[in-house]
Amino acid sequence: MPKKKNIKYLKPFKNLFVIILVPFAIWMLFFDTNSFLIHHELNSEMEDLENEKEYYKKEIEKDNKAIKELKTEEGIEKLAREKYYMKKENEEIYIIEYEDSLAKQSNEK
């Protein structure tokens, strides 16, 4: 009896079409230069590059806004006061630092 079960499962593999189709499908899925695995890698790489492209577009947009702001006199003055602590004559500047901002600055250095 066990021999008949084995013969039953091997019967499709005696067909010439199946004998050719199975190795061809395995070859195309895994070993060919246009295989499924390579397509999957390329698609994931394209997705990463599209995300990176969107990030840089947003950064360019943000930088263009900053450039537009710095073209005005008020924008230049604001930058000079906040970043470089510059002041006008007859003016005094007091820098107030909070404890939580001091902790962040010491961690960044």
Side-chain angles (χ1 to χ4, degrees):
M1 279 269 174
K3 288 185 178 184
K4 287 185 180 182
K5 284 186 180 180
N6 289 339
I7 292 171
K8 182 178 160 182
Y9 292 118
L10 294 176
K11 192 170 185 176
F13 292 105
K14 291 181 180 179
N15 187 345
L16 181 64
F17 180 72
V18 174
I19 291 172
I20 293 172
L21 182 65
V22 169
F24 178 74
I26 291 172
W27 178 264
M28 292 305 289
L29 284 174
F30 299 107
F31 301 114
D32 192 48
T33 56
N34 299 319
S35 72
F36 173 75
L37 299 174
I38 291 174
H39 275 283
H40 181 61
E41 286 179 31
L42 292 175
N43 285 339
S44 64
E45 188 175 331
M46 273 182 34
E47 189 176 314
D48 292 342
L49 289 173
E50 289 292 330
N51 292 338
E52 194 173 326
K53 179 181 168 184
E54 289 299 318
Y55 168 76
Y56 285 122
K57 278 185 178 181
K58 288 177 185 175
E59 288 296 314
I60 288 171
E61 200 173 293
K62 189 168 72 171
D63 290 343
N64 284 337
K65 286 180 184 177
I67 288 171
K68 190 174 183 180
E69 185 178 310
L70 287 174
K71 286 185 178 180
T72 64
E73 195 68 32
E74 294 84 27
I76 293 173
E77 184 176 335
K78 180 181 176 185
L79 177 75
R81 287 175 176 272
E82 290 178 1
K83 188 167 184 179
Y84 299 108
Y85 305 116
M86 293 183 163
K87 63 177 186 162
K88 293 180 180 178
E89 289 184 34
N90 302 328
E91 194 175 59
E92 290 191 26
I93 296 179
Y94 297 98
I95 300 172
I96 302 171
E97 294 181 343
Y98 298 101
E99 286 183 28
D100 58 344
S101 65
L102 291 175
K104 289 179 186 176
Q105 287 178 356
S106 63
N107 288 338
E108 290 175 357
K109 292 181 183 179

